[in-house]
Amino acid sequence: MKKTLLTIGLALAVVLSAFTIVRKELAVDTAASRIAWVGEKVTGQHNGTVKIKSGGLEVDGDQITGGSFVIDMTTIDVEDLSGDMKGKLMGHLRSDDFFSVEKHPTATFTITSVDKSEATDATHFISGDLTIKGKTNKVTFPATVSMVGGKVNATANFDLDRTKWDIRYGSGSFFDGLGDKMIYDDFKVDLLLSTK
């Protein structure tokens, strides 16, 4: 009887292990990943980048189940200007009018759900909590995600309303009479994320 129970127990363990999916965390390749941004105003636009400092994706087999990232706000860069004009805008973006980088040197994004998409231009919808300047809001955006050779690659293009994080400088939603000095509330984000 003991031998039979042992045999059944071993067989059950083998069957269960065959169906067990290995959960793991893949570190973000910060050198291969990037966040590009475009901010628009009545009279034109500016664009630049900000770097991902660290992070990882939680995967279950070939499915992303979670993850979190730290964005280094001290790396905000402006790419469409040079010289004094570039330095002036970078300083303004890092000031309390915008991202308060001295007080809040990092922003974070924590994934809360990843759902498959039926859209033709995206494979998934990613939802999560985005914290900027100490304020957290839930965001959802479409993304194209693939896993090749155990590495995840994801791209996404979406808009964020800066005023949800109390970034109101030049916003026509909060200030009257701005004329051609008005800056639109939404800014565009172009994300490329790769894991090691």
Side-chain angles (χ1 to χ4, degrees):
M1 182 68 172
K2 286 183 181 178
K3 189 173 181 181
T4 302
L5 288 174
L6 181 61
T7 303
I8 291 171
L10 287 172
L12 186 59
V14 169
V15 170
L16 288 175
S17 67
F19 289 100
T20 300
I21 298 173
V22 178
R23 293 176 184 263
K24 59 184 176 178
E25 182 170 317
L26 302 175
V28 171
D29 185 343
T30 56
S33 302
R34 65 166 177 77
I35 301 172
W37 57 265
V38 176
E40 297 178 313
K41 54 185 180 176
V42 173
T43 57
Q45 66 179 38
H46 293 293
N47 65 278
T49 59
V50 62
K51 293 180 181 178
I52 296 174
K53 184 175 184 178
S54 62
L57 286 176
E58 298 164 10
V59 296
D60 194 340
D62 64 350
Q63 302 297 317
I64 297 170
T65 58
S68 61
F69 312 95
V70 177
I71 302 160
D72 186 352
M73 300 304 291
T74 68
T75 66
I76 292 175
D77 193 18
V78 175
E79 295 187 330
D80 64 303
L81 296 174
S82 61
D84 290 343
M85 294 297 290
K86 175 175 179 165
K88 184 176 179 182
L89 180 55
M90 284 174 56
H92 198 192
L93 291 173
R94 294 175 184 186
S95 76
D96 289 342
D97 282 343
F98 285 93
F99 294 101
S100 301
V101 170
E102 189 173 332
K103 297 174 191 168
H104 303 283
T106 60
T108 60
F109 180 67
T110 302
I111 295 172
T112 54
S113 67
V114 179
D115 299 305
K116 290 199 173 180
S117 167
E118 300 300 322
T120 57
D121 57 347
T123 60
H124 294 78
F125 280 102
I126 297 175
S127 296
D129 296 323
L130 178 60
T131 302
I132 301 173
K133 293 179 70 172
K135 187 173 181 62
T136 302
N137 284 290
K138 184 178 182 71
V139 297
T140 299
F141 55 86
T144 300
V145 181
S146 63
M147 182 177 283
V148 179
K151 295 181 180 180
V152 174
N153 292 297
T155 58
N157 294 280
F158 55 96
D159 292 348
L160 290 176
D161 180 352
R162 64 189 174 98
T163 64
K164 291 183 177 179
W165 290 272
D166 291 331
I167 304 168
R168 299 178 179 180
Y169 181 86
S171 169
S173 300
F174 293 91
F175 303 101
D176 295 325
L178 293 170
D180 62 6
K181 296 188 184 304
M182 187 182 78
I183 302 169
Y184 296 115
D185 292 345
D186 287 352
F187 67 96
K188 300 181 185 306
V189 176
D190 182 0
L191 171 67
L192 170 62
L193 184 72
S194 297
T195 62
K196 295 180 180 178

